[in-house]
Amino acid sequence: MNTGNRKKILFVCLGNICRSPMAEEILRVKAREQGKDVEVDSAGLIDFHEGELPDSRMRRHAQMHGYRLTHHSRPIDIADFSYFDVVIGMDRNNISRLLRLAPDAESRSKIVLATQYLRHHEAETVPDPYYGGESDFELVITLLEDVAEGILEDI
Ligand code: 4NP
């Protein structure tokens, strides 16, 4: 593996306890399966859940699909915009908040909406499941598996 080419990808959502830690683990697993060298992390736009494991509902649905979530929530840091190559938000609100936080034009150019990587599903955003039900957590996994495959096709 040529670690010099290793892509560094950061997933971002609001709380960093549902969508972005799920995205992080799906991409890590699929990259490993394909022998692709990526560094993946996730962060939140609020620090309300800092230090917490992902939401128990997200962990349960992850487990049903063979994923194990061990990330601990952390808020995004300004340094993330220089360290990571791509910063992927889950919905329009995430993107506008990221664009406001990004310190310069180069940082802003790294910000992408997750659904732009979809190949097999059509969705405007990866909807926030926090106040939703079982099917909302399942939809997160369905969309993020497609997103991860799209990202891996690109790199
Ligand atoms: P996430 O979901 O952004 O996918 O992690 C949420 C988690 C927590 C809250 C909102 C969304 N919250 O308001 O605490």
Side-chain angles (χ1 to χ4, degrees), residues 3 35 42 89 94 132 142 147 154:
T3 51
S42 66
N94 297 165
T142 300
V147 165
D154 273 12

PDB file of all heavy atoms in Angstrom, residues 3 35 42 89 94 132 142 147 154:
ATOM      1  N   THR A   3       1.030   4.599   1.329  1.00  0.00           N
ATOM      2  CA  THR A   3       0.334   5.440   2.303  1.00  0.00           C
ATOM      3  C   THR A   3       0.439   6.924   1.953  1.00  0.00           C
ATOM      4  O   THR A   3      -0.322   7.732   2.466  1.00  0.00           O
ATOM      5  CB  THR A   3       0.885   5.204   3.730  1.00  0.00           C
ATOM      6  OG1 THR A   3       2.290   5.320   3.675  1.00  0.00           O
ATOM      7  CG2 THR A   3       0.487   3.845   4.235  1.00  0.00           C
ATOM      8  N   GLY A  35      -9.428  -3.339  -0.314  1.00  0.00           N
ATOM      9  CA  GLY A  35      -7.984  -3.119  -0.239  1.00  0.00           C
ATOM     10  C   GLY A  35      -7.600  -1.678  -0.534  1.00  0.00           C
ATOM     11  O   GLY A  35      -6.492  -1.397  -0.998  1.00  0.00           O
ATOM     12  N   SER A  42     -15.022  10.954  11.981  1.00  0.00           N
ATOM     13  CA  SER A  42     -16.279  11.700  11.938  1.00  0.00           C
ATOM     14  C   SER A  42     -16.311  12.706  13.072  1.00  0.00           C
ATOM     15  O   SER A  42     -15.570  12.585  14.061  1.00  0.00           O
ATOM     16  CB  SER A  42     -17.475  10.753  11.993  1.00  0.00           C
ATOM     17  OG  SER A  42     -17.541  10.094  13.232  1.00  0.00           O
ATOM     18  N   GLY A  89     -20.729  16.395   4.520  1.00  0.00           N
ATOM     19  CA  GLY A  89     -21.892  16.675   5.363  1.00  0.00           C
ATOM     20  C   GLY A  89     -23.090  15.860   4.921  1.00  0.00           C
ATOM     21  O   GLY A  89     -23.172  15.405   3.779  1.00  0.00           O
ATOM     22  N   ASN A  94     -26.063  20.929   7.537  1.00  0.00           N
ATOM     23  CA  ASN A  94     -24.650  20.605   7.836  1.00  0.00           C
ATOM     24  C   ASN A  94     -23.727  21.384   6.904  1.00  0.00           C
ATOM     25  O   ASN A  94     -22.720  21.952   7.345  1.00  0.00           O
ATOM     26  CB  ASN A  94     -24.343  19.117   7.621  1.00  0.00           C
ATOM     27  CG  ASN A  94     -25.090  18.151   8.513  1.00  0.00           C
ATOM     28  OD1 ASN A  94     -25.131  16.963   8.241  1.00  0.00           O
ATOM     29  ND2 ASN A  94     -25.690  18.646   9.594  1.00  0.00           N
ATOM     30  N   GLY A 132     -36.744  10.054  14.699  1.00  0.00           N
ATOM     31  CA  GLY A 132     -37.493   9.153  13.831  1.00  0.00           C
ATOM     32  C   GLY A 132     -37.644   7.763  14.424  1.00  0.00           C
ATOM     33  O   GLY A 132     -37.417   7.535  15.610  1.00  0.00           O
ATOM     34  N   THR A 142     -28.867   2.270   4.446  1.00  0.00           N
ATOM     35  CA  THR A 142     -29.023   2.036   2.998  1.00  0.00           C
ATOM     36  C   THR A 142     -28.320   3.129   2.192  1.00  0.00           C
ATOM     37  O   THR A 142     -27.558   2.840   1.260  1.00  0.00           O
ATOM     38  CB  THR A 142     -30.533   2.026   2.632  1.00  0.00           C
ATOM     39  OG1 THR A 142     -31.158   0.984   3.371  1.00  0.00           O
ATOM     40  CG2 THR A 142     -30.741   1.803   1.149  1.00  0.00           C
ATOM     41  N   VAL A 147     -23.385   5.633  -0.592  1.00  0.00           N
ATOM     42  CA  VAL A 147     -22.433   6.750  -0.563  1.00  0.00           C
ATOM     43  C   VAL A 147     -20.994   6.211  -0.487  1.00  0.00           C
ATOM     44  O   VAL A 147     -20.108   6.648  -1.238  1.00  0.00           O
ATOM     45  CB  VAL A 147     -22.722   7.689   0.644  1.00  0.00           C
ATOM     46  CG1 VAL A 147     -21.565   8.633   0.916  1.00  0.00           C
ATOM     47  CG2 VAL A 147     -24.023   8.467   0.419  1.00  0.00           C
ATOM     48  N   ASP A 154     -14.585   6.676  -6.689  1.00  0.00           N
ATOM     49  CA  ASP A 154     -13.914   7.937  -7.025  1.00  0.00           C
ATOM     50  C   ASP A 154     -12.426   7.948  -6.675  1.00  0.00           C
ATOM     51  O   ASP A 154     -11.688   8.768  -7.193  1.00  0.00           O
ATOM     52  CB  ASP A 154     -14.573   9.106  -6.280  1.00  0.00           C
ATOM     53  CG  ASP A 154     -15.745   9.693  -7.024  1.00  0.00           C
ATOM     54  OD1 ASP A 154     -16.192   9.050  -7.998  1.00  0.00           O
ATOM     55  OD2 ASP A 154     -16.218  10.773  -6.632  1.00  0.00           O
TER      56      ASP A 154
END
